[in-house]
Amino acid sequence: VVAKHTSQSMAAVSTRPADERELLSACPALAGTPLADLRSSDVKKKLLSMPVSHIFPGTRANEALTAAVAAGRARVSRASSEGSTSDADDAGLSAVIETLANLLSAPALKDERSSAAARAEVEGGSPPPRGLPRVLSSHSLSARLKSGTADAHKDAENVQYVRSLLRGKVSRQQYALLLRDLHHVYVALEAALDAAADRCEAVRAIHFPSQLGRREALALDLEAHAGGGWRETLGPPSPPCAEYVARITELGASTEASEAALLVAHAYTRYLGDLSGGQIIAKALRRHYGADAAMHFYRFDAIASPSAFKKVYRRALDELMTSSAAVDAEALVAEANAAFSFNARIFRHLDAVCGLAAPAPSPSAAAPEVATAAAAAPASAPA
């Protein structure tokens, strides 16, 4: 199930006992096709077209997918010990495997009729519907989050700092101020997600730390753009960033599942933004700062295909509406709007700090970070 990188382990399927071969061919999407002969793109398409029955425990399709994930993990472990594949190959393969593993460990749907239907699809032999469990309608959680935050999203991306960043009118030092705030946000967010995942089903379902973690990447970018003493040079987080961090920390510390579940909105806002619009920003920054400029924050080396991963992530969101997590969609949309608002306020603060929205105050009257940014380089050209 895991692309051409698994050719050695999957080629061995033909030599396995008949019952295991039958188990691995139980998936209607794969239909007994020799996996070792498929291209990576073909396998990805098949994975994304798997039937709904795959998430239901007890079905042969679910057992088939579980067996394939186990085979892929064995392949990664063996390849790592033998040094038979590159680090990039292993990272891409691991990302696919762990994404599938997260889906398999997600709570099963509560609707018994759907569960019975799923079993009948596999065990009775009737053609299954295509697509992993999803509710791609105007009522799905991912759709409601997207439509419900459209205005706040537009407001955040139209702040002058963001527009100037895309046009190459933000210096490296001014960019480092944004990285500083983002580092504080992600340190708080990832600590909160790690803690809440142990006690909150909703957070656990969308928590992919090995694929999405940004703390270390941001620290590398800060050192490259602002030097090894960036913590002292750039100072504490901006006031709006401090408020953002406080809200995330509050949710992460909550013992109420409904409160902790609101972290889903912050993860959705940040990570899907990084995988989408963030990639556009990265291209613009490379164009203005140079192709070799440090852009670790926008690189997701453990995700082979951002577009495929986003589909998996949205499906995980949609499954929350029918899982035992029982999330409040309206509360999540409201919290996601709050997250966008926090980000917009950070950008507007940077407008003032960098002199983009109004004439910059003189260094003598400015706050330390204002003076630092103003002195670093003119806002009209990157340093």
Side-chain angles (χ1 to χ4, degrees):
V1 74
V2 282
K4 62 185 179 183
H5 304 302
T6 63
S7 58
Q8 293 180 8
S9 61
M10 289 307 186
V13 168
S14 61
T15 64
R16 289 174 178 166
D19 58 338
E20 190 169 352
R21 289 205 305 273
E22 292 173 4
L23 178 61
L24 287 173
S25 65
C27 169
L30 294 173
T33 305
L35 295 173
D37 296 338
L38 294 177
R39 296 177 303 172
S40 296
S41 58
D42 294 330
V43 174
K44 288 176 185 175
K45 289 178 182 177
K46 288 183 177 295
L47 288 175
L48 292 174
S49 67
M50 282 189 171
V52 68
S53 54
H54 279 63
I55 73 158
F56 292 99
T59 64
R60 285 178 61 77
N62 181 274
E63 293 170 359
L65 186 55
T66 302
V69 167
R73 280 178 164 159
R75 164 65 180 149
V76 171
S77 177
R78 184 168 58 255
S80 297
S81 62
E82 296 174 353
S84 57
T85 60
S86 69
D87 290 342
D89 285 343
D90 282 344
L93 178 55
S94 294
V96 174
I97 293 169
E98 296 312 314
T99 296
L100 290 172
N102 272 283
L103 285 178
L104 286 169
S105 64
L109 298 184
K110 295 171 68 177
D111 190 336
E112 294 181 1
R113 289 174 301 172
S114 295
S115 181
R119 292 174 189 274
E121 288 167 6
V122 177
E123 296 167 3
S126 58
R130 287 309 204 183
L132 280 167
R134 57 196 285 189
V135 192
L136 293 183
S137 70
S138 60
H139 300 294
S140 71
L141 180 56
S142 60
R144 291 172 72 173
L145 281 167
K146 183 175 182 179
S147 62
T149 60
D151 290 342
H153 187 179
K154 184 176 181 180
D155 180 57
E157 68 183 10
N158 281 328
V159 176
Q160 185 61 46
Y161 181 88
V162 178
R163 298 170 69 181
S164 296
L165 193 66
L166 290 169
R167 295 171 183 171
K169 297 184 180 297
V170 170
S171 72
R172 285 179 183 266
Q173 186 69 20
Q174 294 164 343
Y175 173 56
L177 293 175
L178 172 61
L179 293 177
R180 172 205 61 191
D181 277 4
L182 289 176
H183 184 262
H184 283 284
V185 169
Y186 279 97
V187 166
L189 177 59
E190 290 169 8
L193 291 171
D194 288 342
D198 291 335
R199 61 181 185 275
C200 178
E201 289 185 21
V203 171
R204 185 161 57 249
I206 56 86
H207 190 34
F208 299 87
S210 61
Q211 290 91 346
L212 295 174
R214 298 291 86 197
R215 288 175 290 195
E216 291 78 6
L218 281 161
L220 289 172
D221 282 350
L222 279 161
E223 185 168 349
H225 289 282
W230 60 268
R231 286 179 174 83
E232 293 74 25
T233 303
L234 299 178
S238 66
C241 175
E243 293 180 26
Y244 192 2
V245 166
R247 176 56 177 167
I248 290 171
T249 303
E250 175 189 11
L251 295 177
S254 176
T255 57
E256 294 292 329
S258 59
E259 284 284 307
L262 296 178
L263 286 168
V264 170
H266 291 277
Y268 161 83
T269 302
R270 284 297 342 161
Y271 291 126
L272 287 198
D274 299 335
L275 287 167
S276 301
Q279 302 308 302
I280 297 173
I281 292 175
K283 290 180 181 179
L285 293 178
R286 289 191 188 96
R287 184 167 61 250
H288 300 305
Y289 295 162
D292 60 345
M295 295 291 151
H296 298 89
F297 173 57
Y298 301 105
R299 285 175 47 188
F300 290 82
D301 294 335
I303 296 177
S305 169
S307 60
F309 184 87
K310 286 187 291 184
K311 289 179 181 178
V312 169
Y313 197 94
R314 292 189 184 102
R315 285 178 180 138
L317 285 170
D318 292 342
E319 289 165 24
L320 292 178
M321 296 301 294
T322 48
S323 75
S324 57
V327 296
D328 184 333
E330 290 186 6
L332 282 174
V333 171
E335 192 68 26
N337 275 305
F340 275 114
S341 178
F342 279 124
N343 282 280
R345 290 170 59 201
I346 288 174
F347 296 146
R348 291 194 178 92
H349 178 81
L350 289 170
D351 276 349
V353 166
C354 302
L356 298 173
S362 64
S364 60
E369 64 178 3
V370 177
T372 299
S380 58

